[in-house]
Amino acid sequence: MEILSPVSGRAMPITDVPDPVFAGLMVGPGVGVDPVREAGTAVAPIAGTIVKLHPHAYVISGDGKSVLVHLGIDTVQLKGEGFTLHASEGATVAAGDAIVSWDPAAVEAGGKSPAVPVVALEGSAEALSGLVTSGDIAAGDVVFVWA
């Protein structure tokens, strides 16, 4: 299964995400994206069902796999301020569908990291291949393959 970047920016190893839970792979393996600093919309990394949706994070499950997208670090503390939902929990989405609009520059100006972890929940590092961990990427580009 191809996992798409939810946002445009610069790819990085998940171990470089400035949060010990994500960097320590406690949530699961994946990649990080340092997003472009302009308002935009985060998209679905896979086709499936939105099983969890918060303004700052969402989980989409499809084909027996679940992918977590977390928009920024410690952004739960913003209580939804600056995030606009374009979907609802339980909705079926296609890869690349709009999920949440946000402004990484505003998150950063508020003292939080705008880094976006893209995590293969309950996945193993060995099941992932082709991880993109450097260079510029666009929303919708493949960032890893989950076997």
Side-chain angles (χ1 to χ4, degrees):
M1 171 185 289
E2 291 184 336
I3 311 303
L4 310 182
S5 179
V7 297
S8 296
R10 197 151 188 68
M12 65 176 146
I14 198 161
T15 52
D16 288 355
V17 169
D19 179 276
V21 173
F22 290 113
L25 307 181
M26 291 178 225
V27 180
V31 299
V33 181
D34 184 21
V36 294
R37 300 304 194 270
E38 58 190 38
T41 301
V43 302
I46 61 171
T49 302
I50 301 173
V51 295
K52 195 49 84 179
L53 179 63
H54 300 285
H56 68 282
Y58 51 95
V59 176
I60 299 177
S61 291
D63 291 336
K65 295 174 170 56
S66 296
V67 178
L68 166 69
V69 173
H70 203 285
L71 301 173
I73 302 303
D74 294 330
T75 46
V76 66
Q77 297 168 1
L78 300 176
K79 297 181 171 70
E81 186 71 33
F83 297 85
T84 303
L85 301 178
H86 298 291
S88 57
E89 216 167 271
T92 300
V93 295
D97 281 358
I99 306 296
V100 180
S101 290
W102 71 310
D103 186 347
V107 167
E108 190 169 56
K112 312 252 180 265
S113 168
V116 178
V118 182
V119 181
L121 292 177
E122 299 180 16
S124 67
E126 300 77 40
L128 307 187
S129 63
L131 280 84
V132 178
T133 57
S134 64
D136 292 334
I137 54 172
D141 286 354
V142 175
V143 287
F144 61 89
V145 176
W146 189 355

